[in-house]
């Protein structure tokens, strides 16, 4: 597939409705060709993990053009092994059911909604991975195609190319080969917008190499992967730099930006009754589509240790373990206030 063959399947109407340079806030009319819908951005995407028609009504009973994203990171050893078995050994029916389990999506709800799936690998899935008790042999291209086609079929709004965490020892050339392979497979018989990934914590050298490649291939739909970082002062600075480099390197293309795998809150403490909403702040830093926080990842190995829980209760000045555990529950369940842009504790 040559650069001329790639079709973003998105068109941006001009002139823009509004564009404020400081902050970088732009209201644009974007046409999604595959679903024949026009959306004004910035546009907030709903989290789709474990969502069905009944519990979505708790969000809103009158939400137009709602789009849902299931954002998954393959972190736990058990998930790696399940994915390996799923893609190499299972038949179609069992494979699709298991992949829906991995992404935490409801088949009936997903088939009747506008959706997208996003996936991040913390290490290269094509390479052998050694775990404490198991070995992941690495996927071949044919196995990976099954995964890509599942993502494609379960993404009705737009398709997000799976990402692989770039580490200092990573080969950017190999990374871009995998991105191109994914785009080629997803572009066959396609009318959906395809977004290629870009990580928020890249070095300047890697960033410019990737964006030069994207420019040369006309990849104008870009999904910025926050890698579970918040949009705080450090990462908003990174985002400003990325936006400026995109403007320089991709001049001439209508770049559409989708931000995902965000940390929802900015460094909350368990005693905080309200914290700044990280994800919603990205609309002031060039976001067209604001995705969701990631699902999956590392887990505190001490979270089931009674002694650890007791020590944390004492450290945080709680009179009992029960009071501490209740505070943790309220701490992880917050409601967004559109008036203040803060997330308030559900306890209030």
């Amino acid at each position: 597939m040559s650069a001329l063959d790639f079709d973003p399947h998105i068109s941006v109407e001009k002139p823009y409705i509004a564009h404020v340079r400081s902050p970088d806030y732009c209201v644009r009319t974007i046409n999604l060709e595959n679903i024949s819908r026009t959306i004004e951005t910035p546009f907030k995407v709903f989290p789709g993990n474990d969502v069905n028609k009944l519990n979505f009504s708790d969000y809103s009973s009158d939400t137009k053009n709602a789009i849902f994203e299931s954002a998954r990171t393959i972190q736990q050893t058990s998930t790696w092994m399940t994915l390996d078995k799923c893609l190499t050994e299972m038949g179609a029916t069992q494979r699709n059911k298991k992949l829906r389990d991995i992404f935490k999506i409801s088949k009936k709800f997903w088939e009747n909604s506008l959706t997208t799936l996003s996936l991040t690998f913390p290490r290269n899935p094509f390479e052998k991975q050694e775990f404490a008790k198991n070995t992941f042999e690495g996927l071949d291209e044919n196995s990976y195609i099954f995964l890509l086609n599942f993502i494609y079929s379960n993404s009705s709004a737009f398709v997000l190319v799976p990402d692989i965490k770039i580490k200092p020892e990573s080969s950017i050339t190999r990374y871009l080969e995998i991105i191109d392979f994914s785009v080629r497979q997803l572009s066959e018989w396609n009318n959906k917008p395809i977004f290629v990934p870009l990580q928020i914590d890249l070095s300047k050298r890697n960033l410019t190499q990737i964006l030069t490649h994207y420019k040369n291939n006309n990849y104008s739909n870009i999904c910025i992967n926050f890698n579970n970082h918040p949009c705080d002062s450090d990462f908003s600075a990174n985002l400003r730099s990325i936006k400026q480099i995109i403007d320089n390197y991709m001049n001439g293309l209508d770049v559409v930006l989708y931000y995902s795998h965000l940390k929802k809150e900015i460094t909350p403490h368990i005693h905080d009754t309200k914290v700044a909403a990280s994800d919603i702040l990205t609309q002031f830093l060039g976001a067209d589509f604001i995705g969701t926080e990631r699902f999956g990842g590392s887990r505190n190995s001490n979270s089931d240790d009674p002694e650890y829980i007791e020590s944390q209760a004492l450290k945080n000045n709680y009179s009992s373990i029960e009071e501490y555990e209740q505070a943790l529950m309220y701490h992880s369940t917050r409601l967004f206030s559109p008036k203040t842009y803060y997330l308030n504790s559900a306890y209030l």
Side-chain angles (χ1 to χ4, degrees), residues 47 59 264-279 293 318 326-337 341-348:
Y59 283 111
K264 195 170 185 178
E265 303 165 335
I266 297 180
T267 57
H269 187 273
I270 192 170
H271 288 294
D272 292 337
T273 57
K274 65 177 184 178
V275 294
S278 165
D279 56 348
E293 60 185 323
Y318 287 98
Q326 185 179 52
L328 276 179
M329 180 182 69
Y330 289 132
H331 174 68
S332 61
T333 309
R334 297 179 183 272
L335 302 175
F336 175 70
S337 169
Y341 280 62
Y342 275 88
L343 290 161
N344 297 323
S345 171
Y347 181 70
L348 296 177

Side-chain angles (χ1 to χ4, degrees), residues 4 9 12 15 18 24 56 61 73 78 83 86 104 110 114 133 136 144 178 195 197 200 203 219 226 229 256 298 310:
L4 295 176
H9 293 291
V12 180
D24 188 10
F56 178 64
S61 59
T73 295
S78 58
L83 183 66
C86 174
K104 303 290 183 182
W110 221 247
L114 292 176
K133 296 182 180 179
F136 177 82
Y144 187 59
I178 296 172
F195 284 75
I200 195 170
S203 68
Y219 296 163
F226 271 69
H229 294 301
V256 177
S298 58
E310 183 177 5

Side-chain angles (χ1 to χ4, degrees), residues 197-210:
L198 188 71
Q199 291 160 39
I200 195 170
D201 46 3
L202 293 173
S203 68
K204 184 259 183 183
R205 177 181 297 174
N206 289 344
L207 178 63
T208 53
Q209 184 176 347
I210 291 171

Side-chain angles (χ1 to χ4, degrees), residues 64 67 76 78 110 183 231 282 333 339:
K64 297 179 181 179
I67 298 176
Q76 300 295 326
S78 58
W110 221 247
V183 172
C231 188
T282 60
T333 309
K339 295 181 179 180

Side-chain angles (χ1 to χ4, degrees), residues 254-265:
D254 283 328
V255 176
V256 177
L257 295 177
Y258 187 111
Y259 296 177
S260 188
H261 290 245
L262 296 133
K263 196 173 186 66
K264 195 170 185 178
E265 303 165 335

Side-chain angles (χ1 to χ4, degrees), residues 166 172 175-176 198 202 206-214:
I166 294 174
I172 298 300
Y175 174 82
L176 291 172
L198 188 71
L202 293 173
N206 289 344
L207 178 63
T208 53
Q209 184 176 347
I210 291 171
L211 285 176
T212 299
H213 183 83
Y214 287 175

